[in-house]
Amino acid sequence: MSSHKPVFGTGISTAVADIGESLRLAAQADRQGLDLVTVSDHPYYAARLDAYAQVGVVLGRTERVSALVSVSNLPSRPAPMLARTVTSLSALTGGRLVLGMGAGGLWDEIARLGVERLGPGAAVRAFEEAVTLIRLLGGGGEPVTFEGEFYQVHGLEPAAAEVPPVWTGSVGPKSLAATGRVADGWIPGHAADWLSPRYRDSRPVIDEAALSAGRDPADIVTVYNLPGVVTAAPVAAPRDADGVWRGGSVAQWVEELDRGRPGVRRPRVRALPRGRRHPGRRDTGPLGPGDRPGGAGGRHGRPHLTSRQASSGIRHHGGRHGRRARCRRSRLVDDVLVLAVAPE
């Protein structure tokens, strides 16, 4: 069973029209002890803020909350520059960042940015290559020369800051396998939870790819999108006739999330041979009970997230009691919960 403890957070709008409210919610999340603020990435829409510009402002106005772009639009953000962006933000904030990565979905929109359109297979290869290169460009060390199919760098010095943990939005089997080989977390699409066919069919692909690469599948967390409502009183049927979660009282949410902990439900997989580790990963050692991500934190006591520590730490957020509210987005990342609740 996983020993990770829950982490709580919230998603905020990237709409230009909602700047004031988004910054207010980010500050509230930081003030009330949440652990993560997430934003989406759609740079082809003029009415949306650039995700990393928004994250930079959010992190600059807060003290302890971490941020996630869920997920970075890789085709519009070349891997070497994305590496510089995330390691710079990590250095500036004491490691308060998670790197979300996607191969690219809305290609008609992406192409309007002047980006070369890639087919599905090429997009996945570029995605895996990008994660590999980004990992090489953080944590210090000798200059990197990389000759890939999509990216080439020559004698490029890595940033001193560690690369944040990488969570992906993989869907197809090739992309899922890439997640197993190189990523630290997976976000199933279409609000798929632990009872869904998408999870049951997809997670084994990640696990088998991880094992083939000499990795422990348990190091790759699963991020569940679980929308629903939080009600003042219990409801008769928290799930609908198709088994889709609709929500209920706080007690019903707690019961469901506890029942769905992947540390209990994940299928058995072959053990990782002793001494085998993910290439390039630094072993930061086990976390003790009650540890925050990065132990005592980065500079100024802020939580420092590394690839091995992304799913640790615990905070509790008490919502507004006695009011019916709608969960705009909720995520359980193995034992990490990111819950966004707004008044209905």
Side-chain angles (χ1 to χ4, degrees):
M1 182 183 297
S2 170
S3 62
H4 297 316
K5 296 180 179 180
V7 170
F8 292 83
T10 186
I12 61 175
S13 172
T14 61
V16 173
D18 294 337
I19 289 176
E21 178 66 4
S22 294
L23 293 178
R24 186 192 69 79
L25 288 173
Q28 182 179 354
D30 188 58
R31 185 173 63 253
Q32 294 186 333
L34 274 71
D35 298 278
L36 192 67
V37 169
T38 74
V39 301
S40 60
D41 188 16
H42 298 285
Y44 28 77
Y45 296 140
R48 300 287 187 92
L49 296 166
D50 175 81
Y52 281 94
Q54 184 177 13
V55 160
V57 171
V58 165
L59 292 174
R61 291 188 173 204
T62 56
E63 295 184 356
R64 62 165 310 283
V65 74
S66 295
L68 163 70
V69 174
S70 180
V71 291
S72 304
N73 190 286
L74 178 61
S76 64
R77 301 183 186 278
M81 286 306 302
L82 183 55
R84 291 298 197 227
T85 297
V86 298
T87 53
S88 295
L89 284 170
S90 187
L92 287 164
T93 64
R96 295 189 290 134
L97 194 69
V98 179
L99 172 57
M101 292 282 283
L106 301 177
W107 277 99
D108 288 342
E109 302 294 340
I110 293 170
R112 293 196 293 117
L113 294 170
V115 176
E116 180 183 358
R117 185 188 294 265
L118 298 179
V124 171
R125 295 197 305 275
F127 160 76
E128 183 169 4
E129 190 174 291
V131 177
T132 300
L133 177 56
I134 288 171
R135 287 195 186 281
L136 293 173
L137 293 176
E142 297 298 317
V144 173
T145 293
F146 184 91
E147 293 286 351
E149 180 182 0
F150 302 94
Y151 300 103
Q152 299 83 38
V153 300
H154 303 97
L156 191 61
E157 185 178 358
E162 295 281 355
V163 172
V166 178
W167 297 348
T168 80
S170 295
V171 177
K174 292 182 179 179
S175 183
L176 290 166
T179 291
R181 288 188 291 267
V182 300
D184 304 300
W186 169 57
I187 310 170
H190 306 290
D193 66 21
W194 45 87
L195 299 183
S196 68
R198 180 179 294 273
Y199 171 74
R200 292 197 303 269
D201 295 342
S202 299
R203 182 68 212 203
V205 177
I206 294 173
D207 291 351
E208 288 300 323
L211 288 166
S212 296
R215 304 183 65 198
D216 185 345
D219 286 341
I220 306 168
V221 297
T222 304
V223 185
Y224 296 101
N225 292 307
L226 194 64
V229 296
V230 177
T231 60
V235 298
R239 290 183 179 268
D240 65 18
D242 295 323
V244 177
W245 175 255
R246 298 187 306 178
S249 67
V250 170
Q252 287 174 310
W253 274 92
V254 170
E255 180 182 6
E256 182 65 23
L257 294 173
D258 186 63
R259 181 185 297 119
R261 288 166 69 92
V264 176
R265 308 180 70 88
R266 181 172 294 169
R268 291 182 179 272
V269 294
R270 300 192 305 274
L272 183 71
R274 183 179 298 275
R276 296 184 66 182
R277 298 190 183 278
H278 176 49
R281 171 176 286 174
R282 291 169 172 78
D283 186 359
T284 58
L287 290 173
D291 280 354
R292 295 282 306 137
R299 294 172 303 178
H300 313 298
R302 295 168 181 170
H304 179 84
L305 296 175
T306 67
S307 293
R308 293 183 64 82
Q309 298 171 328
S311 53
S312 300
I314 182 168
R315 299 291 291 183
H316 298 284
H317 171 54
R320 302 173 69 177
H321 298 289
R323 297 191 62 180
R324 182 176 172 85
R326 179 170 301 277
C327 290
R328 280 185 271 184
R329 177 165 39 182
S330 163
R331 298 197 186 101
L332 181 67
V333 190
D334 268 7
D335 303 307
V336 181
L337 175 66
V338 180
L339 177 63
V341 180
E344 188 175 55

